[in-house]
Amino acid sequence: QVQLVESGGGLVQPGGSLRLSCATSGFTFTNYVMKWHRQTPGAEREFVASIEPFTTATNYADSVNGRFTISRRNAENTVYLQMNALKAEDTAVYYCVARNRYTRSEYWGQGTQVTVSS
């Protein structure tokens, strides 16, 4: 069974940092581009970051570029999102997403809440 389990979310003050983890199983991790998306109630899900399986090529949304870093450990089937200089606007449920690099089908995790507030 495919599983994507996010962890590391929580409450942080503006300017603070959080590191999200996504532990996966049930699929061939290296066949998948790993992504993070986020969603605020009342809004559509927003792309945050992605990382290729082998080249380590990354893409970031303009809103997080320079503040967030996505990484992956293929041997551990795990992807991370280091979030620095957090803003209130970063408050959202963050989802780990696996996109098959060949078929472009996707698996989504259950999400983890990140709240940035003073």
Side-chain angles (χ1 to χ4, degrees):
Q1 182 176 334
V2 170
Q3 295 187 50
L4 291 80
V5 181
E6 301 97 333
S7 62
L11 175 65
V12 64
Q13 294 186 33
S17 297
L18 284 174
R19 182 176 175 85
L20 305 183
S21 298
C22 175
T24 75
S25 61
F27 63 96
T28 303
F29 189 71
T30 52
N31 283 346
Y32 286 78
V33 175
M34 297 303 301
K35 303 189 295 179
W36 290 93
H37 289 240
R38 66 188 183 185
Q39 184 173 30
T40 300
E44 293 188 354
R45 290 174 179 171
E46 174 190 17
F47 169 80
V48 175
S50 68
I51 184 167
E52 295 290 322
F54 295 107
T55 68
T56 72
T58 58
N59 285 287
Y60 297 93
D62 288 343
S63 58
V64 307
N65 192 36
R67 299 187 298 119
F68 290 11
T69 302
I70 188 171
S71 61
R72 64 191 292 163
R73 296 178 182 174
N74 288 341
E76 299 174 4
N77 299 328
T78 303
V79 63
Y80 305 91
L81 185 68
Q82 178 67 45
M83 304 183 294
N84 298 325
L86 283 161
K87 306 173 181 179
E89 297 90 328
D90 296 318
T91 296
V93 176
Y94 283 72
Y95 295 90
C96 179
V97 183
R99 178 173 62 86
N100 189 292
R101 63 184 302 197
Y102 307 107
T103 70
R104 300 185 179 181
S105 62
E106 294 185 344
Y107 299 119
W108 285 65
Q110 75 290 328
T112 186
Q113 177 70 48
V114 172
T115 302
V116 184
S117 177
S118 60

